[in-house]
Amino acid sequence: MFKNYIKIAWRSLKKQPFFTFLNTFGLAIGMAGALLISLYIYDEMSYDKMFADANRIHRIHADIKFGGDAREFAVTPAPMAEALKNDFSEIELVTRFRTRGSALVRKADDQANVKEEQTTFVDASFFEMFGLELLAGDVKTALKNPNTLVLTKTAAEKHFEIGNAVGQNLVLNNEETYTVVGVIDDFPQNSFLRDHSVFESMEGNGDAKEINWGSNNYQTFIKLIPTVNAADIQEQLRGFLGKYVIPGVQQYMPGITEEQLKKSGSYLVYSTMPLTDIHLKSHRVAEISANNDIQSIYILSFIAVFLIVLASVNFMNLSTAHSLKRAKEVGVRKTL
């Protein structure tokens, strides 16, 4: 009986090839379109979830309004990291990035430079923060000394064999000599570090040691201990204005107080955002990489659902209309 059904179905399809093509092709296009959109949405929603303990990692933000100009920053002052370590027992780790943009890189004994699009200073806690392992080098000592750097696998292969990279010297921008202390695997495309290839030790960045709360240049990430929620530290984080920022500003503007700042309509508010929300929900000044918008994900989700519904309704309508022509066949088959 099953073989008979297949035979009759095949004959019916051959009998009306245009209808068969129209119905099948319409449903296939709708399903294919919805599937492709779903894969794109899945990729966008998966950003930065590959890092260990990603749900406990947050970035510190600064919302600033001064002199009528309100801006939202993804960066904070250099001393923010040390203050977080000292003031919060709820924080397990702190690490900073200071992006430098592109750089010309060459071996110490070569003349030809290779351009790396994204380089950045990072603290030595960078590896533990994101649960990263080195392909070459010792992760426990990497980036703890000034004028050292870690390369991604692709960047290292431009100059050395992976096994011989550690201990070699590289010259950046024809003036700064660094020693390679490690090689790290390339970051996936759904990571905020996807374009970065050279990570330099923050110990060699003198600005990182300055106690200047008026300059915002550092992406500051924290990892909370497992039992703590980000909401638990927000109130104390807002208190950094009066505790650290105002005393620093008073060196240049004697007499200014937190109350005067509020009366003038100005403000400075520090807050946190989960690492996994940054790609779709953060559009601040000095983002470490280009982000997308959650609104575009909502729109694409609606389009995918609409395609499926439209293709399904079209398939059912055509099938229903075609079924009327087979009423005599159905009657004969039932009689037999």
Side-chain angles (χ1 to χ4, degrees):
M1 184 65 74
F2 184 70
K3 181 179 179 182
N4 178 260
Y5 284 154
I6 295 176
K7 185 188 298 183
I8 295 299
W10 177 247
R11 288 176 180 175
S12 178
L13 294 176
K14 287 180 64 179
K15 187 177 180 180
Q16 293 180 311
F18 178 74
F19 169 82
T20 300
F21 170 78
L22 183 65
N23 211 12
T24 306
F25 186 73
L27 182 62
I29 287 294
M31 292 180 64
L35 182 60
L36 289 173
I37 292 174
S38 298
L39 290 173
Y40 175 77
I41 292 173
Y42 176 80
D43 182 67
E44 290 293 298
M45 298 293 289
S46 68
Y47 258 73
D48 298 315
K49 291 183 179 179
M50 77 291 297
F51 294 118
D53 302 319
N55 61 316
R56 294 198 281 131
I57 300 175
H58 299 256
R59 186 176 70 184
I60 307 296
H61 289 167
D63 296 326
I64 302 174
K65 182 179 180 181
F66 190 75
D69 182 23
R71 307 183 77 181
E72 297 179 340
F73 288 92
V75 287
T76 57
M80 170 65 74
E82 192 63 30
L84 291 169
K85 293 176 189 177
N86 295 333
D87 289 18
F88 290 94
S89 60
E90 299 90 341
I91 293 177
E92 182 179 312
L93 282 171
V94 182
T95 200
R96 296 171 298 174
F97 293 81
R98 170 112 192 236
T99 55
R100 301 186 68 189
S102 63
L104 297 176
V105 182
R106 62 177 173 84
K107 293 173 66 173
D109 54 354
D110 282 353
Q111 296 301 317
N113 284 298
V114 175
K115 185 177 182 180
E116 295 295 339
E117 294 298 334
Q118 293 290 346
T119 67
T120 182
F121 285 111
V122 292
D123 287 315
S125 55
F126 163 63
F127 305 103
E128 186 179 359
M129 171 71 75
F130 296 99
L132 303 174
E133 297 292 337
L134 295 182
L135 301 178
D138 186 358
V139 72
K140 295 180 180 179
T141 59
L143 301 182
K144 289 191 174 181
N145 295 317
N147 294 98
T148 58
L149 58 77
V150 169
L151 300 171
T152 61
K153 179 181 178 181
T154 298
E157 287 175 339
K158 297 176 183 178
H159 307 280
F160 324 100
E161 292 182 2
I162 299 300
N164 298 329
V166 175
Q168 301 281 356
N169 290 330
L170 288 176
V171 179
L172 271 62
N173 297 321
N174 295 315
E175 56 184 21
E176 304 168 312
T177 301
Y178 287 82
T179 301
V180 179
V181 294
V183 177
I184 197 170
D185 204 358
D186 294 332
F187 290 95
Q189 286 302 303
N190 59 342
S191 163
F192 77 103
L193 293 171
R194 59 190 177 275
D195 299 324
H196 288 70
S197 56
V198 180
F199 298 90
E200 304 160 54
S201 172
M202 192 71 77
E203 293 298 319
N205 177 22
D207 180 67
K209 299 177 177 63
E210 296 291 333
I211 304 177
N212 180 6
W213 285 87
S215 178
N216 295 280
N217 294 308
Y218 294 81
Q219 295 250 352
T220 305
F221 288 83
I222 61 173
K223 180 184 284 188
L224 300 174
I225 62 176
T227 57
V228 173
N229 294 319
D232 299 336
I233 67 170
Q234 301 303 318
E235 190 62 34
Q236 188 177 350
L237 195 58
R238 294 188 185 96
F240 274 29
L241 172 61
K243 186 174 182 179
Y244 295 108
V245 180
I246 292 298
V249 173
Q250 286 175 343
Q251 299 178 20
Y252 308 98
M253 301 174 64
I256 191 171
T257 63
E258 187 174 353
E259 290 71 22
Q260 289 176 337
L261 197 67
K262 292 179 179 179
K263 287 180 180 179
S264 68
S266 299
Y267 58 78
L268 189 158
V269 179
Y270 293 117
S271 60
T272 65
M273 174 175 280
L275 170 67
T276 52
D277 285 352
I278 290 174
H279 180 66
L280 293 176
K281 297 180 181 180
S282 181
H283 309 285
R284 293 172 169 266
V285 177
E287 291 287 352
I288 202 167
S289 59
N291 292 335
N292 202 347
D293 193 336
I294 189 65
Q295 296 299 324
S296 65
I297 301 302
Y298 294 150
I299 294 170
L300 287 172
S301 300
F302 173 78
I303 292 173
V305 173
F306 180 75
L307 281 175
I308 286 290
V309 172
L310 186 63
S312 300
V313 170
N314 182 65
F315 181 85
M316 289 186 289
N317 285 342
L318 290 175
S319 298
T320 302
H322 180 63
S323 67
L324 298 176
K325 296 182 179 181
R326 298 187 59 199
K328 185 184 293 186
E329 177 190 334
V330 173
V332 172
R333 287 174 62 85
K334 285 189 174 182
T335 303
L336 292 175

